[in-house]
């Protein structure tokens, strides 16, 4: 029965569409569209229906490139359908979830027969004829099943095709390219390297084992019908990234792009340097218009999401006669049994790894500061008679940032020591090793916290990509300030001037002026609770990944307890607890399945412990009598 159905499907699908171009073109010309534009619309929608083409024309009425005679690019792929295809889709999903995206995710499972080539709009119909003709002439010799052998290397994983079968596929590709070149004036290059179906490509070498394990769950002998399909893409955007809009955006300014939920947008990665933080400049696939749009309204899409499928040729092979059809249930049973074991192991891994798909909040204390090592009067040691800064010990920073008010202000707002800078960068590198995706960074206005955030981002290789949002509400309990006044912090403009990657557009949830000296413990607790809630609300839950908050020892409890629904600690316990928190001590909260429910879990990186290193005076020690 299944075979009969497949043959019927193939007959209908392969039957040359009797509606020739004019059947689709005439009505569009009658509506008053110029021929070259009507043809462009038909090709852009895969020459399916007049309605599709008319809708495309309507959406592209403001497309500045509508008149450009730029053709589409076409490729011929051999694609699996049926059970094998579903297994491959499972692998696609699972490999992405466990190891992140790699190059294979950009396109669906396929074997490349002919690489991309251009074809003029008015000749595309001829390509369809060629596919039909060449398909018919090969349908007898097409292999009854294609045997696939798994091949793995540190950057490539895929199935290779048995030589004798690959040769028939190559002949098919060569015949198609020869006819397409002759009939439709296309320069078609058949793919002649080792025929393969890629499973993963350009992944991190340490993921090779996991990917191989997953690939071994695919039974390459699953029932499969092969289809030769013609796809096209817009050649102007080949090297662009693709984004998908998660929300609608209505432009506020003339240079912004209107987007609907689900719209695909082309973004040129080389042009983003001059665009302000949080915005990208993109071209809409739906309308052809270009403009600015907010990046957090989008997610990454795949390359093939913007491709158009034109025609396909379904191979029903002659040798699949009844004797084999009787064996089919057998294959099925094996397939099913095979799958049960796969699904069980996959479920276990799923439960472990779906954490990666949730938001996390990482709260961290700043790195070591100069006053921790050299005492409160550290600045006296570093000022020369003329008031210039002098590095009295290698653990002092090589220079201090410029600030408008006097150097004296550094006494209440001390910088990191050299070790503090090193600790911060080391921790950032460790987070990068663990593939922690930091989406947002918030910092207390204290210089030591901004510097820690800066060096963490350098370790994560995100400097300039993620900006630091300076949030006054994250400052520590003001009662602990020895001078009983709130320090004069460097302004955001001064921090930017001193080359810190701060977000100059960010307006804090609490203005600096609202920080009062010697506030009560209750006030500090409620300020912290309000600020963490405002931060969570400001970072959309669609944006999976980590919100990094750099604060003080006191921040670890005062920010995470309200988030996880725990009551605040008693003020006497609080001071005892904070004393135990080392530089770059951290707490990690992870969002549970339902939004805005959080739990404390192990931080993604280990702690950093180091010994004390006292100052050394060689004269007193070595020369002493």
């Amino acid at each position: 029965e299944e075979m009969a159905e497949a043959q019927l499907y193939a007959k209908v699908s392969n039957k040359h569409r009797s509606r020739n171009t004019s059947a689709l073109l005439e009505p569009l010309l009658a509506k008053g569209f110029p021929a070259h534009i009507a043809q462009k619309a038909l090709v852009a929608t895969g020459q399916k229906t007049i309605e599709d083409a008319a809708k495309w024309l309507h959406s592209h009425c403001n497309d500045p490139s509508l008149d450009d005679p730029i053709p589409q690019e076409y490729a011929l792929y051999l694609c699996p359908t049926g059970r094998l295809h579903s297994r491959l889709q499972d692998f696609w999903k699972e490999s992405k979830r466990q190891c992140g995206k790699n190059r294979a995710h950009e396109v669906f499972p396929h074997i490349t027969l002919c690489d991309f080539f251009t074809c003029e709009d008015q000749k595309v119909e001829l390509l369809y004829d060629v596919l039909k003709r060449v398909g018919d002439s090969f349908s007898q010799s097409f292999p009854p099943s294609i045997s696939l052998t798994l091949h793995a290397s540190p950057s490539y994983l895929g199935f290779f095709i048995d030589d004798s079968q690959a040769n028939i596929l190559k002949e098919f590709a060569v015949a198609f390219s020869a006819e397409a070149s002759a009939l439709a004036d296309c320069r078609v290059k058949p793919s002649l390297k080792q025929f393969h179906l890629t499973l993963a490509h350009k992944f991190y070498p340490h993921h090779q084992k996991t990917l191989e394990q997953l690939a071994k769950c695919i039974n390459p002998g699953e029932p499969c019908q092969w289809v030769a399909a013609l796809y096209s893409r817009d050649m102007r955007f080949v090297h662009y990234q693709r984004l998908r809009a998660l929300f609608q955006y209505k432009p506020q300014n003339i240079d912004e792009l209107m987007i609907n939920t689900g719209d695909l947008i082309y973004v040129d990665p080389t042009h983003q340097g001059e665009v302000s933080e949080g915005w990208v400049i993109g071209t809409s696939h739906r309308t052809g218009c270009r403009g600015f749009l907010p990046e957090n309204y989008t997610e990454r899409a795949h390359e093939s999401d913007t491709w158009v499928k034109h025609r396909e040729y379904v191979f029903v092979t002659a040798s699949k006669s009844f004797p084999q059809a009787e064996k089919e249930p057998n294959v099925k049973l094996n397939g099913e049994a095979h799958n049960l074991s796969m699904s069980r192991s996959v479920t276990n891994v799923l439960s472990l790894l779906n954490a990666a798909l949730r938001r996390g909040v990482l709260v961290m204390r700043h790195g070591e500061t100069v006053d921790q090592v050299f005492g409160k009067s550290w600045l006296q040691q570093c000022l020369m008679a003329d008031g210039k800064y002098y590095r009295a010990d290698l653990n002092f920073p090589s220079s201090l940032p410029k600030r408008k008010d006097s150097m004296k202000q550094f006494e209440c707002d001390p910088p990191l020591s050299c070790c503090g800078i090193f600790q911060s960068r080391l921790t950032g590198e460790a987070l990068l090793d663990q593939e922690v995706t930091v989406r947002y960074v918030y910092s207390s206005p204290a210089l030591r916290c901004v510097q820690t955030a800066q060096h963490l981002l350098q370790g994560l290789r995100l400097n300039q990509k993620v900006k630091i949002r300076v949030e006054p509400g994250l400052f520590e309990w003001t009662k602990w300030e020895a001078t009983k006044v709130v320090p004069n912090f460097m302004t955001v403009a001064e921090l930017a001037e001193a080359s810190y990657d701060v977000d100059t557009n960010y307006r804090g949830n609490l203005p600096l002026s609202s920080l009062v000296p010697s506030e009560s413990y209750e006030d500090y607790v409620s300020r912290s609770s309000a600020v963490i809630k405002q931060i969570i609300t400001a970072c959309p839950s669609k944006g999976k990944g980590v919100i990094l908050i750099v604060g003080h020892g006191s921040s670890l409890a005062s920010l995470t307890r309200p988030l996880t629904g725990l009551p605040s600690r008693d003020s006497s316990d609080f001071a005892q607890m904070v004393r135990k928190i080392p530089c770059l001590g951290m707490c990690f909260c992870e969002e549970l399945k339902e939004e805005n429910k959080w739990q404390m879990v192990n931080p993604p990186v280990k702690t950093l412990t180091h010994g004390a290193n006292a100052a050394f005076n060689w004269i007193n020690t070595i020369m002493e009598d």
Side-chain angles (χ1 to χ4, degrees), residues 123-334:
K123 295 187 175 160
V124 173
E125 198 71 17
L126 299 168
L127 278 187
Y128 301 169
D129 294 344
V130 170
L131 177 61
K132 163 90 174 73
R133 266 227 300 285
V134 178
D136 284 348
S137 68
F138 272 83
S139 64
Q140 296 306 305
S141 57
F142 193 84
S145 69
I146 292 180
S147 52
L148 306 168
T149 315
L150 193 60
H151 171 85
S153 80
S155 69
Y156 175 87
L157 179 72
F159 288 122
F160 280 4
I161 288 148
D162 177 68
D163 277 351
S164 59
Q165 299 173 344
N167 289 336
I168 301 172
L169 300 183
K170 279 179 191 169
E171 285 166 28
F172 174 75
V174 168
F176 175 85
S177 59
E179 290 219 15
S181 306
L183 272 174
D185 296 333
C186 303
R187 295 179 56 186
V188 187
K189 272 219 200 80
S191 175
L192 294 174
K193 30 184 202 300
Q194 166 82 57
F195 269 28
H196 56 273
L197 191 156
T198 302
L199 293 172
H201 178 43
K202 297 233 165 111
F203 44 85
Y204 288 111
H206 62 266
H207 284 147
Q208 185 183 342
K209 273 225 167 50
T210 312
L211 291 167
E212 273 188 73
Q213 286 313 112
L214 286 172
K216 284 177 183 152
C217 296
I218 305 167
N219 168 12
E222 291 275 12
C224 174
Q225 185 134 47
W226 292 90
V227 169
L230 208 50
Y231 286 90
S232 77
R233 68 181 182 190
D234 192 323
M235 61 196 279
R236 295 171 300 165
F237 302 116
V238 170
H239 298 298
Y240 283 49
Q241 286 176 346
R242 284 141 182 90
L243 301 177
R244 181 184 285 100
L246 295 166
F247 314 103
Q248 187 185 47
Y249 179 73
K250 293 193 171 144
Q252 322 281 306
N253 295 304
I254 188 86
D255 58 1
E256 292 172 9
L257 184 64
M258 166 75 191
I259 52 175
N260 291 340
T261 308
D263 275 4
L264 290 154
I265 294 121
Y266 298 106
V267 169
D268 182 351
T270 58
H271 278 179
Q272 299 310 310
E274 52 272 29
V275 181
S276 62
E277 188 62 29
W279 291 79
V280 290
I281 188 159
T283 303
S284 163
H285 173 69
R286 183 177 58 84
T287 65
C289 298
R290 187 163 183 259
F292 291 97
L293 63 145
E295 191 169 15
N296 59 359
Y297 276 54
T298 64
E299 63 180 1
R300 288 291 295 274
H302 298 137
E303 185 186 335
S304 60
D305 292 348
T306 52
W307 293 0
V308 178
K309 186 175 183 179
H310 287 257
R311 296 288 180 271
E312 58 180 29
Y313 189 93
V314 184
F315 288 99
V316 169
T317 42
S319 59
K320 279 196 180 160
S321 56
F322 290 104
Q324 200 175 345
E326 282 160 24
K327 287 192 208 136
E328 287 261 353
N330 211 2
V331 176
K332 280 201 186 106
L333 289 173
N334 291 345

